[in-house]
């Protein structure tokens, strides 16, 4: 389970079984999120890419939102300044109060299909696998760095806490 309630000064890549991007989250870039259940209540200044079994949007997206899921729920607090591009089994329902400036582009697809009907290439499985490999790789590199340079890791954490802009 991954829960984010923070300011991110760039792009964010988040993967987990259950992923919650809380209302206090401000991502100053784009975000790619993968999970079995994804809840997005934060804000992102650029794009949002989400792949998940059950996805709920109720935040602010400064650009396009690209969603692939078995189920998409759009909350009344959702604001998308670009287009919503959705691949899933049923067309999304946009509630009163939600705003999608660029409109909705819906592509029907089964959550159980491995190949994309429009391009006939394996995409969903590749993206999910790639996201998982990226997440595990970053975690492994961080653990290896901490194991090899324990003193430097501790000093770096202290320096970041003392003077984050210089760091």
């Amino acid at each position: 389970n991954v829960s984010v309630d923070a300011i991110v000064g760039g792009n964010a890549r988040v993967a987990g079984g259950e992923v919650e991007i809380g209302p206090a989250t401000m991502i100053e870039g784009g975000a790619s999120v993968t999970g079995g259940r994804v809840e997005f209540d934060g804000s992102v200044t650029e794009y949002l890419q989400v792949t998940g079994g059950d996805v709920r949007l109720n935040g602010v997206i400064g650009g396009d939102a690209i969603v692939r899921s078995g189920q998409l729920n759009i909350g009344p607090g959702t604001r998308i300044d670009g287009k919503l591009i959705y691949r899933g089994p049923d067309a999304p329902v946009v509630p009163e109060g939600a705003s999608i400036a660029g409109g909705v582009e819906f592509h029907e697809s089964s959550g159980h299909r491995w190949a994309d009907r429009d391009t006939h290439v394996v995409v969903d499985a590749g993206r999910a696998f790639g996201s998982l490999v990226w997440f595990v790789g970053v975690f492994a590199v961080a653990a290896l760095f901490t194991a090899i340079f324990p003193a430097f890791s501790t000093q770096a954490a202290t320096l970041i806490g003392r003077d984050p802009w210089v760091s």
Side-chain angles (χ1 to χ4, degrees), residues 83-160:
K83 184 186 323 185
L84 170 63
I85 302 167
Y86 174 58
R87 289 190 185 275
D90 300 310
V93 176
V94 180
E96 192 172 320
S99 168
I100 303 175
V104 176
E105 184 179 313
F106 171 63
H107 302 273
E108 185 176 1
S109 70
S110 167
H112 302 292
R113 199 175 65 234
W114 293 95
D116 187 308
R117 183 182 309 215
D118 298 335
T119 59
H120 301 291
V121 295
V122 177
V123 290
D124 290 335
R127 285 190 180 135
F129 181 72
S131 294
L132 180 64
V133 168
W134 176 86
F135 180 74
V136 170
V138 168
F139 183 78
V141 168
L144 184 63
F145 181 81
T146 303
I148 293 173
F149 304 108
F152 181 75
S153 299
T154 305
Q155 290 173 350
T158 303
L159 180 61
I160 289 170

